[in-house]
Amino acid sequence: MIALGALSSCATLPAYKTAIADNKVSVPVSLFAQSNFQLIQPKNSYYNIGLKKEPDGTYTALLLKCTHADNQLTATGNGYKCSLHGSAFDSEGQVTNGPAERPLKKYTTQIINDQVIIILS
């Protein structure tokens, strides 16, 4: 029973899988009905995007790629962590623990027809 509890705490968030079209990713606003955070997995992209609904109704999209060693990051609930060398980032993408020195890449977002559009340029 202890092992089962330990396993459930290691579970990762399910990712919303979507295609990239015209260098943009589209995510339904309705995904945020239950949670202010979604993990987005663009098709044919190694790195996920953390998409957070802000209190003012805007959205913040961060590339979950460590700025130190290009490793995929894991969402921790209050930010992101790199399993390779221990770098950590807050929910805004700022470095909270090195060796990373640069913040995460932030994408521009916009709302069009009940879709959050993430512009990947």
Side-chain angles (χ1 to χ4, degrees), residues 6 10-11 15 22-23 26 32 37 40 45 73 80 87 93 97 99 104:
C10 294
D22 297 325
N23 214 28
S26 181
F32 294 88
F37 179 82
I40 310 303
S45 177
L73 299 176
Y80 309 97
S87 291
N97 189 54
L104 298 179

Side-chain angles (χ1 to χ4, degrees), residues 74-91:
T74 303
T76 63
N78 59 351
Y80 309 97
K81 185 156 179 77
C82 180
S83 61
L84 206 54
H85 300 112
S87 291
F89 304 84
D90 66 17
S91 62

Side-chain angles (χ1 to χ4, degrees), residues 7-89:
L7 286 175
S8 65
S9 67
C10 294
T12 57
L13 289 170
Y16 177 77
K17 296 176 181 162
T18 185
I20 298 172
D22 297 325
N23 214 28
K24 298 175 183 171
V25 171
S26 181
V27 178
V29 169
S30 60
L31 282 181
F32 294 88
Q34 303 295 323
S35 171
N36 287 335
F37 179 82
Q38 295 294 323
L39 198 57
I40 310 303
Q41 186 177 57
K43 189 174 184 175
N44 300 322
S45 177
Y46 178 76
Y47 300 104
N48 291 332
I49 296 170
L51 184 59
K52 182 176 76 162
K53 183 178 182 180
E54 302 292 349
D56 67 0
T58 61
Y59 291 82
T60 300
L62 298 171
L63 181 64
L64 301 186
K65 173 182 173 182
C66 184
T67 57
H68 171 252
D70 296 343
N71 191 47
Q72 174 81 268
L73 299 176
T74 303
T76 63
N78 59 351
Y80 309 97
K81 185 156 179 77
C82 180
S83 61
L84 206 54
H85 300 112
S87 291
F89 304 84

